[in-house]
Amino acid sequence: MNLIDGKLISQQIKDELKEKTALLKEKGIEVTLAVILVGEDPASQVYVRNKKKACEYIGYRSLSYELPAETTQEELLKLIDELNGRKDVDGILVQMPLPKQIDEKAVIDAISPSKDVDGFHPMNVGALCIGEEGFVSCTPAGVIQLLKRGLPADYDISGKECVIVGRSNIVGKPMALLMLRENATVTVAHSRTKNLEEVCKKADILIAAVGKAGMITKDHVKEGAVVIDVGINRNEEGKLCGDVVFDEVSQIASAITPVPGGVGPMTIAMLMNNCYEAALMHNKNV
Ligand code: NDP
């Protein structure tokens, strides 16, 4: 069984970006990410800190906006508008979730698609859907990198049966579109799917993105399948775990991602990659 090491692969991606960023700097281009955090949610504070740390490691400039929990939607939209107009800002990231007085959709729609490094804007989602260039949601983009870099070099996604469990806008749906782009045959399962075990057992590549610990057992997995666990949950002892029962599924899978250390670190690496792409796009003529 091959343990797909997301920590290692994300480090490789960050190191590649670090090298490319140094070359951009020689041309006078500085990649800049603006990070906005509203309120003091501890998990969000950790995510934001990790994103800023990754920027520092690679050599990006990060601008930090920490706004009070009672910030109004109007105030936040005004800041986004200002950042949209700034030539020295390549990417804008608003950490979700937002306090309840702010409509997340209005915020996502307000970010200029060319600075939407999270890949959530409808223009970028639409571009992915019709196979045009645009920013791709970071977690599913990270899964593709895990498959391409974490499996034997001769492993070909093309023609494989892929089952994705979960159909959210940020993981399941873009994941399905990306796997289609890789020429897999894609099935998307969700809470109304009948006979989930049977559906999952068809998969050569099974991607679990539900958010329920212990959801995917050995009864859902075909012998030799590749299993990617996107879920981030806490078990009864408060320990981080995925959606997949790792101990039993790892006995029959040909390759599997652990939690933590699988998909998680890839999300930030792909965010950093999107920032780099944004800077290239904004400096086409340099
Ligand atoms: P959502 O809650 O938005 O979506 C969950 C999906 O799972 C829904 O489509 C839902 O179906 C489906 N589902 C729920 N129960 C079942 C069931 N019993 N059988 C089959 N499908 C079911 O979650 P997200 O997509 O945002 O996140 C999924 C997981 O991935 C979470 O654990 C999250 O923490 C993690 N995550 C990890 C990231 C990382 O960096 N590693 C980044 C983002 C998310 P329906 O649509 O019918 O309700």
Side-chain angles (χ1 to χ4, degrees), residues 50-110:
N50 288 341
K51 287 168 190 175
K52 285 196 243 170
K53 258 173 43 193
C55 284
E56 211 171 290
Y57 179 78
I58 294 168
Y60 297 167
R61 185 166 69 122
S62 70
L63 306 177
S64 185
Y65 297 87
E66 292 182 8
L67 310 180
E70 56 282 2
T71 302
T72 65
Q73 179 164 318
E74 203 187 349
E75 285 164 336
L76 179 57
L77 293 182
K78 190 161 165 265
L79 172 61
I80 292 172
D81 192 44
E82 185 193 311
L83 294 169
N84 279 340
R86 272 177 64 169
K87 285 215 161 59
D88 65 331
V89 172
D90 297 300
I92 302 171
L93 183 141
V94 181
Q95 185 62 48
M96 305 289 174
L98 289 165
K100 54 183 180 325
Q101 75 275 16
I102 302 176
D103 174 14
E104 288 185 356
K105 184 170 160 37
V107 170
I108 291 169
D109 290 354

Short mmCIF file of all heavy atoms in Angstrom, two decimals, residues 50-110:
data_model
loop_
_atom_site.label_atom_id
_atom_site.label_comp_id
_atom_site.label_asym_id
_atom_site.label_seq_id
_atom_site.Cartn_x
_atom_site.Cartn_y
_atom_site.Cartn_z
N ASN A 50 -1.48 30.36 8.99
CA ASN A 50 -0.76 29.41 8.13
C ASN A 50 -0.60 29.94 6.71
O ASN A 50 0.42 29.70 6.06
CB ASN A 50 -1.48 28.06 8.11
CG ASN A 50 -1.33 27.33 9.43
OD1 ASN A 50 -0.42 27.64 10.21
ND2 ASN A 50 -2.22 26.39 9.71
N LYS A 51 -1.61 30.64 6.24
CA LYS A 51 -1.52 31.21 4.88
C LYS A 51 -0.44 32.29 4.83
O LYS A 51 0.35 32.35 3.89
CB LYS A 51 -2.89 31.76 4.44
CG LYS A 51 -3.87 30.62 4.13
CD LYS A 51 -5.31 31.07 3.99
CE LYS A 51 -6.21 29.82 3.93
NZ LYS A 51 -7.63 30.11 3.91
N LYS A 52 -0.39 33.09 5.87
CA LYS A 52 0.63 34.16 5.91
C LYS A 52 2.03 33.55 6.01
O LYS A 52 2.97 34.02 5.39
CB LYS A 52 0.37 35.10 7.09
CG LYS A 52 -0.80 36.04 6.84
CD LYS A 52 -0.80 37.19 7.84
CE LYS A 52 -2.02 37.14 8.70
NZ LYS A 52 -2.07 38.03 9.83
N LYS A 53 2.13 32.47 6.80
CA LYS A 53 3.43 31.79 6.95
C LYS A 53 3.90 31.23 5.61
O LYS A 53 5.09 31.31 5.26
CB LYS A 53 3.32 30.65 7.98
CG LYS A 53 3.89 31.08 9.31
CD LYS A 53 3.73 30.15 10.47
CE LYS A 53 3.93 28.69 10.36
NZ LYS A 53 3.40 27.98 11.55
N ALA A 54 2.96 30.65 4.86
CA ALA A 54 3.32 30.09 3.55
C ALA A 54 3.78 31.20 2.61
O ALA A 54 4.74 31.02 1.86
CB ALA A 54 2.12 29.34 2.95
N CYS A 55 3.12 32.36 2.66
CA CYS A 55 3.54 33.51 1.83
C CYS A 55 4.97 33.88 2.17
O CYS A 55 5.81 34.09 1.28
CB CYS A 55 2.65 34.73 2.10
SG CYS A 55 1.03 34.64 1.33
N GLU A 56 5.24 33.97 3.45
CA GLU A 56 6.57 34.37 3.91
C GLU A 56 7.62 33.37 3.41
O GLU A 56 8.67 33.75 2.91
CB GLU A 56 6.55 34.35 5.43
CG GLU A 56 7.45 35.34 6.10
CD GLU A 56 7.14 35.34 7.59
OE1 GLU A 56 6.05 35.81 7.99
OE2 GLU A 56 7.98 34.82 8.33
N TYR A 57 7.30 32.07 3.53
CA TYR A 57 8.24 31.03 3.12
C TYR A 57 8.59 31.14 1.63
O TYR A 57 9.75 31.05 1.23
CB TYR A 57 7.64 29.65 3.42
CG TYR A 57 8.54 28.51 3.01
CD1 TYR A 57 9.63 28.15 3.79
CD2 TYR A 57 8.32 27.83 1.81
CE1 TYR A 57 10.48 27.14 3.39
CE2 TYR A 57 9.17 26.81 1.40
CZ TYR A 57 10.24 26.47 2.20
OH TYR A 57 11.09 25.47 1.80
N ILE A 58 7.54 31.36 0.82
CA ILE A 58 7.77 31.37 -0.64
C ILE A 58 8.39 32.69 -1.10
O ILE A 58 9.10 32.73 -2.10
CB ILE A 58 6.43 31.08 -1.37
CG1 ILE A 58 5.99 29.65 -1.05
CG2 ILE A 58 6.55 31.27 -2.87
CD1 ILE A 58 4.59 29.32 -1.46
N GLY A 59 8.13 33.75 -0.34
CA GLY A 59 8.66 35.07 -0.73
C GLY A 59 7.60 36.00 -1.27
O GLY A 59 7.92 36.94 -2.00
N TYR A 60 6.33 35.74 -0.95
CA TYR A 60 5.27 36.66 -1.35
C TYR A 60 5.13 37.73 -0.28
O TYR A 60 5.47 37.52 0.89
CB TYR A 60 3.90 35.95 -1.42
CG TYR A 60 3.76 34.84 -2.43
CD1 TYR A 60 2.67 33.97 -2.37
CD2 TYR A 60 4.68 34.67 -3.46
CE1 TYR A 60 2.51 32.95 -3.28
CE2 TYR A 60 4.53 33.64 -4.38
CZ TYR A 60 3.45 32.78 -4.28
OH TYR A 60 3.28 31.78 -5.18
N ARG A 61 4.55 38.84 -0.68
CA ARG A 61 4.17 39.86 0.28
C ARG A 61 2.74 39.55 0.71
O ARG A 61 1.89 39.23 -0.13
CB ARG A 61 4.22 41.22 -0.41
CG ARG A 61 3.98 42.41 0.50
CD ARG A 61 4.40 43.70 -0.22
NE ARG A 61 3.48 43.98 -1.30
CZ ARG A 61 2.78 45.12 -1.41
NH1 ARG A 61 2.90 46.05 -0.51
NH2 ARG A 61 1.98 45.30 -2.45
N SER A 62 2.46 39.58 2.00
CA SER A 62 1.05 39.40 2.40
C SER A 62 0.59 40.64 3.14
O SER A 62 1.31 41.19 3.98
CB SER A 62 0.86 38.13 3.21
OG SER A 62 1.43 38.24 4.48
N LEU A 63 -0.60 41.09 2.77
CA LEU A 63 -1.21 42.24 3.44
C LEU A 63 -2.31 41.68 4.33
O LEU A 63 -3.12 40.86 3.87
CB LEU A 63 -1.83 43.20 2.42
CG LEU A 63 -0.92 43.70 1.30
CD1 LEU A 63 -1.71 44.58 0.34
CD2 LEU A 63 0.26 44.48 1.89
N SER A 64 -2.33 42.11 5.56
CA SER A 64 -3.26 41.50 6.50
C SER A 64 -4.32 42.50 6.96
O SER A 64 -3.98 43.61 7.37
CB SER A 64 -2.41 41.03 7.68
OG SER A 64 -3.20 40.34 8.56
N TYR A 65 -5.58 42.12 6.85
CA TYR A 65 -6.68 42.98 7.31
C TYR A 65 -7.47 42.21 8.35
O TYR A 65 -8.17 41.25 7.99
CB TYR A 65 -7.57 43.38 6.13
CG TYR A 65 -6.81 44.19 5.10
CD1 TYR A 65 -6.10 43.56 4.09
CD2 TYR A 65 -6.77 45.58 5.17
CE1 TYR A 65 -5.37 44.29 3.16
CE2 TYR A 65 -6.04 46.32 4.25
CZ TYR A 65 -5.35 45.67 3.24
OH TYR A 65 -4.62 46.40 2.33
N GLU A 66 -7.34 42.59 9.60
CA GLU A 66 -8.08 41.89 10.65
C GLU A 66 -9.17 42.83 11.15
O GLU A 66 -8.89 43.83 11.82
CB GLU A 66 -7.12 41.45 11.75
CG GLU A 66 -6.21 40.38 11.17
CD GLU A 66 -5.21 39.77 12.12
OE1 GLU A 66 -5.26 40.05 13.31
OE2 GLU A 66 -4.36 39.00 11.61
N LEU A 67 -10.40 42.51 10.78
CA LEU A 67 -11.52 43.41 11.05
C LEU A 67 -12.34 42.89 12.23
O LEU A 67 -12.44 41.67 12.44
CB LEU A 67 -12.42 43.52 9.81
CG LEU A 67 -11.70 43.83 8.48
CD1 LEU A 67 -12.72 43.91 7.34
CD2 LEU A 67 -10.93 45.15 8.57
N PRO A 68 -12.96 43.79 12.98
CA PRO A 68 -13.76 43.34 14.13
C PRO A 68 -14.99 42.55 13.71
O PRO A 68 -15.48 42.71 12.57
CB PRO A 68 -14.18 44.66 14.81
CG PRO A 68 -13.94 45.73 13.80
CD PRO A 68 -12.89 45.26 12.86
N ALA A 69 -15.49 41.71 14.62
CA ALA A 69 -16.63 40.82 14.32
C ALA A 69 -17.87 41.59 13.90
O ALA A 69 -18.72 41.07 13.16
CB ALA A 69 -16.93 39.95 15.54
N GLU A 70 -17.98 42.85 14.35
CA GLU A 70 -19.21 43.60 14.02
C GLU A 70 -19.08 44.38 12.71
O GLU A 70 -19.98 45.16 12.36
CB GLU A 70 -19.63 44.49 15.19
CG GLU A 70 -18.62 45.50 15.72
CD GLU A 70 -17.55 44.89 16.63
OE1 GLU A 70 -17.53 43.67 16.86
OE2 GLU A 70 -16.68 45.66 17.11
N THR A 71 -18.04 44.13 11.93
CA THR A 71 -17.88 44.78 10.62
C THR A 71 -19.15 44.57 9.77
O THR A 71 -19.70 43.47 9.74
CB THR A 71 -16.66 44.16 9.88
OG1 THR A 71 -15.52 44.34 10.70
CG2 THR A 71 -16.44 44.78 8.52
N THR A 72 -19.59 45.62 9.10
CA THR A 72 -20.80 45.47 8.27
C THR A 72 -20.39 44.96 6.88
O THR A 72 -19.23 45.07 6.47
CB THR A 72 -21.53 46.82 8.08
OG1 THR A 72 -20.67 47.70 7.35
CG2 THR A 72 -21.91 47.44 9.42
N GLN A 73 -21.39 44.45 6.18
CA GLN A 73 -21.16 43.97 4.81
C GLN A 73 -20.64 45.11 3.93
O GLN A 73 -19.73 44.93 3.13
CB GLN A 73 -22.47 43.39 4.26
CG GLN A 73 -22.32 42.90 2.84
CD GLN A 73 -23.47 42.01 2.44
OE1 GLN A 73 -23.92 41.16 3.23
NE2 GLN A 73 -23.99 42.19 1.25
N GLU A 74 -21.25 46.28 4.13
CA GLU A 74 -20.86 47.45 3.35
C GLU A 74 -19.37 47.77 3.55
O GLU A 74 -18.65 48.03 2.57
CB GLU A 74 -21.73 48.62 3.80
CG GLU A 74 -21.86 49.69 2.76
CD GLU A 74 -22.58 50.91 3.35
OE1 GLU A 74 -23.14 50.80 4.47
OE2 GLU A 74 -22.54 51.95 2.69
N GLU A 75 -18.94 47.73 4.79
CA GLU A 75 -17.53 48.03 5.08
C GLU A 75 -16.60 47.02 4.41
O GLU A 75 -15.58 47.37 3.84
CB GLU A 75 -17.28 48.04 6.60
CG GLU A 75 -17.84 49.28 7.28
CD GLU A 75 -17.95 49.13 8.82
OE1 GLU A 75 -18.04 48.00 9.34
OE2 GLU A 75 -17.96 50.16 9.48
N LEU A 76 -17.00 45.74 4.50
CA LEU A 76 -16.16 44.69 3.91
C LEU A 76 -16.12 44.85 2.38
O LEU A 76 -15.05 44.75 1.76
CB LEU A 76 -16.68 43.31 4.31
CG LEU A 76 -15.92 42.12 3.74
CD1 LEU A 76 -14.44 42.15 4.12
CD2 LEU A 76 -16.52 40.79 4.24
N LEU A 77 -17.27 45.11 1.78
CA LEU A 77 -17.32 45.25 0.32
C LEU A 77 -16.49 46.46 -0.13
O LEU A 77 -15.87 46.42 -1.20
CB LEU A 77 -18.78 45.37 -0.17
CG LEU A 77 -19.63 44.11 0.01
CD1 LEU A 77 -21.03 44.31 -0.56
CD2 LEU A 77 -19.00 42.88 -0.64
N LYS A 78 -16.48 47.49 0.70
CA LYS A 78 -15.70 48.69 0.36
C LYS A 78 -14.20 48.35 0.33
O LYS A 78 -13.48 48.75 -0.58
CB LYS A 78 -15.99 49.78 1.40
CG LYS A 78 -15.45 51.13 1.03
CD LYS A 78 -16.14 52.24 1.82
CE LYS A 78 -15.32 53.52 1.70
NZ LYS A 78 -14.39 53.70 2.81
N LEU A 79 -13.77 47.57 1.32
CA LEU A 79 -12.35 47.16 1.36
C LEU A 79 -12.01 46.30 0.14
O LEU A 79 -10.97 46.48 -0.50
CB LEU A 79 -12.06 46.39 2.67
CG LEU A 79 -10.68 45.75 2.77
CD1 LEU A 79 -9.56 46.78 2.69
CD2 LEU A 79 -10.55 44.93 4.07
N ILE A 80 -12.92 45.37 -0.19
CA ILE A 80 -12.66 44.49 -1.35
C ILE A 80 -12.55 45.34 -2.62
O ILE A 80 -11.66 45.13 -3.46
CB ILE A 80 -13.77 43.42 -1.48
CG1 ILE A 80 -13.67 42.44 -0.31
CG2 ILE A 80 -13.69 42.68 -2.81
CD1 ILE A 80 -14.82 41.46 -0.21
N ASP A 81 -13.44 46.32 -2.73
CA ASP A 81 -13.45 47.19 -3.91
C ASP A 81 -12.10 47.92 -4.04
O ASP A 81 -11.53 48.02 -5.12
CB ASP A 81 -14.62 48.17 -3.76
CG ASP A 81 -14.86 48.90 -5.05
OD1 ASP A 81 -14.85 48.24 -6.11
OD2 ASP A 81 -15.03 50.15 -5.00
N GLU A 82 -11.63 48.39 -2.89
CA GLU A 82 -10.36 49.11 -2.88
C GLU A 82 -9.21 48.18 -3.31
O GLU A 82 -8.38 48.53 -4.14
CB GLU A 82 -10.14 49.60 -1.44
CG GLU A 82 -8.95 50.48 -1.21
CD GLU A 82 -8.72 50.61 0.30
OE1 GLU A 82 -9.70 50.91 1.04
OE2 GLU A 82 -7.57 50.36 0.75
N LEU A 83 -9.22 46.94 -2.77
CA LEU A 83 -8.16 45.97 -3.12
C LEU A 83 -8.28 45.54 -4.58
O LEU A 83 -7.26 45.31 -5.25
CB LEU A 83 -8.23 44.76 -2.18
CG LEU A 83 -7.92 45.06 -0.71
CD1 LEU A 83 -8.28 43.86 0.17
CD2 LEU A 83 -6.44 45.41 -0.52
N ASN A 84 -9.52 45.43 -5.08
CA ASN A 84 -9.71 45.09 -6.51
C ASN A 84 -9.01 46.11 -7.40
O ASN A 84 -8.45 45.77 -8.43
CB ASN A 84 -11.20 45.11 -6.88
CG ASN A 84 -11.94 43.85 -6.47
OD1 ASN A 84 -11.32 42.81 -6.25
ND2 ASN A 84 -13.26 43.92 -6.36
N GLY A 85 -9.04 47.36 -6.97
CA GLY A 85 -8.49 48.44 -7.78
C GLY A 85 -6.99 48.63 -7.63
O GLY A 85 -6.38 49.36 -8.41
N ARG A 86 -6.38 47.98 -6.65
CA ARG A 86 -4.95 48.20 -6.41
C ARG A 86 -4.08 47.35 -7.33
O ARG A 86 -4.17 46.13 -7.34
CB ARG A 86 -4.61 47.88 -4.94
CG ARG A 86 -4.80 49.11 -4.06
CD ARG A 86 -4.56 48.77 -2.63
NE ARG A 86 -3.17 48.37 -2.35
CZ ARG A 86 -2.69 48.24 -1.12
NH1 ARG A 86 -3.47 48.50 -0.08
NH2 ARG A 86 -1.44 47.87 -0.93
N LYS A 87 -3.22 48.01 -8.07
CA LYS A 87 -2.35 47.29 -9.03
C LYS A 87 -1.32 46.41 -8.32
O LYS A 87 -0.81 45.46 -8.90
CB LYS A 87 -1.62 48.31 -9.90
CG LYS A 87 -2.51 48.93 -10.95
CD LYS A 87 -1.71 49.21 -12.23
CE LYS A 87 -2.59 49.39 -13.44
NZ LYS A 87 -3.55 50.48 -13.31
N ASP A 88 -1.01 46.76 -7.06
CA ASP A 88 0.03 45.99 -6.35
C ASP A 88 -0.55 44.79 -5.59
O ASP A 88 0.17 44.15 -4.84
CB ASP A 88 0.79 46.91 -5.37
CG ASP A 88 -0.11 47.43 -4.26
OD1 ASP A 88 -1.32 47.57 -4.50
OD2 ASP A 88 0.39 47.67 -3.15
N VAL A 89 -1.83 44.48 -5.79
CA VAL A 89 -2.43 43.32 -5.11
C VAL A 89 -2.81 42.28 -6.17
O VAL A 89 -3.56 42.58 -7.10
CB VAL A 89 -3.67 43.74 -4.28
CG1 VAL A 89 -4.41 42.52 -3.75
CG2 VAL A 89 -3.26 44.66 -3.13
N ASP A 90 -2.28 41.06 -6.02
CA ASP A 90 -2.57 40.01 -7.00
C ASP A 90 -3.74 39.13 -6.60
O ASP A 90 -4.53 38.72 -7.43
CB ASP A 90 -1.33 39.13 -7.20
CG ASP A 90 -0.18 39.92 -7.77
OD1 ASP A 90 -0.35 40.46 -8.87
OD2 ASP A 90 0.85 40.05 -7.09
N GLY A 91 -3.82 38.81 -5.31
CA GLY A 91 -4.87 37.91 -4.85
C GLY A 91 -5.57 38.47 -3.63
O GLY A 91 -4.95 39.16 -2.81
N ILE A 92 -6.88 38.20 -3.53
CA ILE A 92 -7.65 38.62 -2.36
C ILE A 92 -8.30 37.38 -1.76
O ILE A 92 -9.00 36.64 -2.47
CB ILE A 92 -8.75 39.64 -2.75
CG1 ILE A 92 -8.14 40.86 -3.44
CG2 ILE A 92 -9.58 40.05 -1.53
CD1 ILE A 92 -9.17 41.80 -4.06
N LEU A 93 -8.05 37.19 -0.48
CA LEU A 93 -8.65 36.03 0.18
C LEU A 93 -9.46 36.50 1.39
O LEU A 93 -8.92 37.18 2.25
CB LEU A 93 -7.53 35.10 0.64
CG LEU A 93 -8.03 33.81 1.27
CD1 LEU A 93 -7.16 32.67 0.83
CD2 LEU A 93 -8.04 33.89 2.78
N VAL A 94 -10.74 36.17 1.40
CA VAL A 94 -11.56 36.49 2.57
C VAL A 94 -11.79 35.17 3.30
O VAL A 94 -12.37 34.23 2.73
CB VAL A 94 -12.91 37.12 2.16
CG1 VAL A 94 -13.72 37.45 3.40
CG2 VAL A 94 -12.68 38.38 1.32
N GLN A 95 -11.30 35.07 4.52
CA GLN A 95 -11.42 33.81 5.26
C GLN A 95 -12.88 33.55 5.63
O GLN A 95 -13.54 34.39 6.23
CB GLN A 95 -10.54 33.88 6.52
CG GLN A 95 -10.49 32.58 7.31
CD GLN A 95 -9.90 31.42 6.51
OE1 GLN A 95 -8.86 31.55 5.89
NE2 GLN A 95 -10.58 30.29 6.52
N MET A 96 -13.38 32.37 5.26
CA MET A 96 -14.74 31.95 5.62
C MET A 96 -14.66 31.07 6.87
O MET A 96 -13.62 30.45 7.08
CB MET A 96 -15.37 31.17 4.47
CG MET A 96 -15.38 31.89 3.15
SD MET A 96 -16.56 33.25 3.18
CE MET A 96 -16.25 34.03 1.58
N PRO A 97 -15.67 30.94 7.68
CA PRO A 97 -16.98 31.58 7.54
C PRO A 97 -16.96 33.03 8.01
O PRO A 97 -16.07 33.42 8.78
CB PRO A 97 -17.85 30.73 8.48
CG PRO A 97 -16.91 30.20 9.52
CD PRO A 97 -15.59 30.03 8.83
N LEU A 98 -17.95 33.79 7.55
CA LEU A 98 -18.07 35.19 7.95
C LEU A 98 -19.17 35.34 9.00
O LEU A 98 -20.08 34.50 9.06
CB LEU A 98 -18.41 36.02 6.71
CG LEU A 98 -17.26 36.17 5.70
CD1 LEU A 98 -17.76 36.66 4.36
CD2 LEU A 98 -16.18 37.09 6.25
N PRO A 99 -19.11 36.40 9.81
CA PRO A 99 -20.19 36.62 10.79
C PRO A 99 -21.54 36.72 10.08
O PRO A 99 -21.60 37.07 8.90
CB PRO A 99 -19.81 37.95 11.43
CG PRO A 99 -18.38 38.18 11.12
CD PRO A 99 -18.06 37.43 9.88
N LYS A 100 -22.60 36.43 10.83
CA LYS A 100 -23.90 36.22 10.17
C LYS A 100 -24.51 37.46 9.50
O LYS A 100 -25.35 37.33 8.62
CB LYS A 100 -24.91 35.56 11.12
CG LYS A 100 -25.10 36.28 12.43
CD LYS A 100 -26.06 35.49 13.30
CE LYS A 100 -26.31 36.14 14.64
NZ LYS A 100 -25.19 36.86 15.27
N GLN A 101 -24.03 38.67 9.89
CA GLN A 101 -24.59 39.87 9.23
C GLN A 101 -24.03 40.05 7.81
O GLN A 101 -24.47 40.93 7.08
CB GLN A 101 -24.34 41.13 10.08
CG GLN A 101 -22.91 41.68 10.09
CD GLN A 101 -22.00 41.00 11.12
OE1 GLN A 101 -22.32 39.93 11.64
NE2 GLN A 101 -20.86 41.60 11.41
N ILE A 102 -23.07 39.21 7.43
CA ILE A 102 -22.45 39.36 6.10
C ILE A 102 -22.80 38.16 5.21
O ILE A 102 -22.65 37.01 5.61
CB ILE A 102 -20.91 39.48 6.22
CG1 ILE A 102 -20.55 40.69 7.11
CG2 ILE A 102 -20.27 39.63 4.84
CD1 ILE A 102 -19.07 40.87 7.37
N ASP A 103 -23.29 38.49 4.01
CA ASP A 103 -23.70 37.46 3.05
C ASP A 103 -22.45 36.97 2.29
O ASP A 103 -21.84 37.74 1.54
CB ASP A 103 -24.74 38.09 2.11
CG ASP A 103 -25.13 37.17 0.98
OD1 ASP A 103 -24.81 35.96 1.05
OD2 ASP A 103 -25.76 37.66 0.01
N GLU A 104 -22.11 35.69 2.49
CA GLU A 104 -20.87 35.17 1.89
C GLU A 104 -20.91 35.26 0.36
O GLU A 104 -19.91 35.53 -0.28
CB GLU A 104 -20.62 33.72 2.35
CG GLU A 104 -20.19 33.68 3.79
CD GLU A 104 -19.81 32.31 4.32
OE1 GLU A 104 -19.94 31.31 3.59
OE2 GLU A 104 -19.38 32.25 5.50
N LYS A 105 -22.09 35.01 -0.19
CA LYS A 105 -22.18 35.04 -1.65
C LYS A 105 -21.89 36.44 -2.20
O LYS A 105 -21.18 36.59 -3.20
CB LYS A 105 -23.57 34.57 -2.10
CG LYS A 105 -23.66 34.50 -3.59
CD LYS A 105 -24.86 33.84 -4.15
CE LYS A 105 -25.12 34.24 -5.60
NZ LYS A 105 -23.94 34.43 -6.43
N ALA A 106 -22.40 37.47 -1.51
CA ALA A 106 -22.15 38.84 -1.95
C ALA A 106 -20.64 39.14 -1.92
O ALA A 106 -20.12 39.83 -2.80
CB ALA A 106 -22.91 39.82 -1.06
N VAL A 107 -19.97 38.58 -0.93
CA VAL A 107 -18.53 38.82 -0.79
C VAL A 107 -17.76 38.10 -1.91
O VAL A 107 -16.89 38.68 -2.56
CB VAL A 107 -18.05 38.35 0.61
CG1 VAL A 107 -16.54 38.36 0.72
CG2 VAL A 107 -18.67 39.24 1.69
N ILE A 108 -18.12 36.85 -2.15
CA ILE A 108 -17.45 36.07 -3.21
C ILE A 108 -17.65 36.78 -4.56
O ILE A 108 -16.73 36.93 -5.35
CB ILE A 108 -18.00 34.62 -3.25
CG1 ILE A 108 -17.55 33.86 -2.01
CG2 ILE A 108 -17.58 33.90 -4.53
CD1 ILE A 108 -18.23 32.52 -1.80
N ASP A 109 -18.88 37.23 -4.80
CA ASP A 109 -19.19 37.89 -6.08
C ASP A 109 -18.44 39.21 -6.25
O ASP A 109 -18.22 39.67 -7.36
CB ASP A 109 -20.70 38.14 -6.20
CG ASP A 109 -21.48 36.85 -6.39
OD1 ASP A 109 -20.84 35.79 -6.53
OD2 ASP A 109 -22.73 36.90 -6.39
N ALA A 110 -18.08 39.85 -5.10
CA ALA A 110 -17.47 41.17 -5.17
C ALA A 110 -15.98 41.11 -5.52
O ALA A 110 -15.42 42.09 -6.01
CB ALA A 110 -17.64 41.88 -3.83
#
